[in-house]
Amino acid sequence: MVKQSKYAKKSIVDELKLIARLKEEDEKLSELMLKSNDIKIRKFGRRIAEGGRIIEIDEKNGRIKRLNLSHVRSENLTSYRNRQKIAAKFYGNCDELQEKYPNNIFVEMSLTIRHCDVDELSSMIDKLNESWIRLINTPEFAPYFNAKGKYYKDCGYFKSLEIGSSSEFNKINPHFHCILQVYYSTSN
């Protein structure tokens, strides 16, 4: 069982509201995908449209036990549930990490690229991932995240892909949400 950290507090009501919002975004995304010329993208759009139903809620702790997901990487609910699993592990160790590395801080950042058509989504996600690799190898980031970096063993990150959609523009916006743990010195 993952221990609860002081950093992660969310009620079931808040979680259900968030799931409802993500489901609305996924409905917009599936509408855009169903209009695509690409058969594969239309198939993913159908899977997203059919997903997102809550199947079972644990009565004891008020948590969602099972959720019907499409498992399409661009679906916001699937991405959210994956992030939630990673975040539970991360928050469970957050206090311990702060004790072990008192000179480190947590930094949150979002990285985005231009809005694109649904048919371009896969190539844009590839470009976003390539850009991430270039970013962590820049002189500013390499000391923390490159295997040869000075602080490499004491630092880390996790990133999560989210895809926003806009039915107004018939475009989507892939972007990363990241949490970095980096060495911080007041003397620099």
Side-chain angles (χ1 to χ4, degrees):
M1 182 167 164
V2 177
K3 73 176 185 178
Q4 183 77 11
S5 169
K6 64 182 178 187
Y7 297 102
K9 304 241 188 272
K10 188 180 284 189
S11 72
I12 186 64
V13 174
D14 292 337
E15 191 166 346
L16 291 173
K17 285 179 185 174
L18 178 62
I19 287 173
R21 184 183 61 79
L22 292 172
K23 181 60 183 160
E24 285 177 23
E25 289 177 14
D26 285 337
E27 287 170 359
K28 292 177 192 172
L29 180 62
S30 68
E31 285 176 25
L32 290 173
M33 293 177 103
L34 289 169
K35 294 176 185 174
S36 173
N37 296 326
D38 189 329
I39 294 170
K40 185 177 175 184
I41 292 174
R42 286 198 308 265
K43 179 182 164 188
F44 288 149
R46 278 192 296 279
R47 283 175 48 192
I48 290 172
E50 293 167 2
R53 293 182 306 278
I54 296 174
I55 297 174
E56 186 178 352
I57 296 178
D58 188 343
E59 297 296 329
K60 291 180 186 173
N61 63 14
R63 293 288 179 221
I64 295 169
K65 283 175 76 173
R66 292 187 339 163
L67 184 64
N68 179 26
L69 300 172
S70 69
H71 300 289
V72 174
R73 75 176 178 170
S74 58
E75 180 191 35
N76 288 306
L77 271 173
T78 297
S79 178
Y80 167 71
R81 295 301 282 187
N82 290 338
R83 272 195 320 264
Q84 204 175 33
K85 289 176 188 175
I86 293 168
K89 292 176 185 174
F90 174 78
Y91 288 134
N93 294 308
C94 215
D95 301 326
E96 187 179 318
L97 286 170
Q98 277 303 146
E99 288 173 20
K100 188 173 180 179
Y101 303 105
N103 293 328
N104 286 9
I105 59 170
F106 294 102
V107 179
E108 183 180 349
M109 71 178 187
S110 297
L111 303 171
T112 188
I113 54 178
R114 67 176 174 83
H115 286 66
C116 65
D117 291 319
V118 175
D119 295 331
E120 300 174 303
L121 179 60
S122 184
S123 64
M124 293 305 269
I125 291 172
D126 291 341
K127 286 179 185 177
L128 197 56
N129 279 312
E130 290 166 8
S131 297
W132 173 260
I133 298 299
R134 281 197 315 271
L135 175 69
I136 64 172
N137 287 312
T138 60
E140 295 81 11
F141 281 78
Y144 305 104
F145 305 116
N146 187 304
K148 296 176 184 172
K150 182 177 179 181
Y151 307 110
Y152 175 71
K153 291 184 179 176
D154 300 333
C155 300
Y157 66 85
F158 77 87
K159 63 183 173 74
S160 175
L161 175 68
E162 186 174 319
I163 303 192
S165 58
S166 169
S167 55
E168 289 178 44
F169 304 112
N170 289 331
K171 300 274 186 180
I172 54 178
N173 175 238
H175 56 280
F176 282 138
H177 291 280
C178 313
I179 294 182
L180 314 173
Q181 182 194 18
V182 295
Y183 178 80
Y184 178 76
S185 172
T186 54
S187 63
N188 292 346

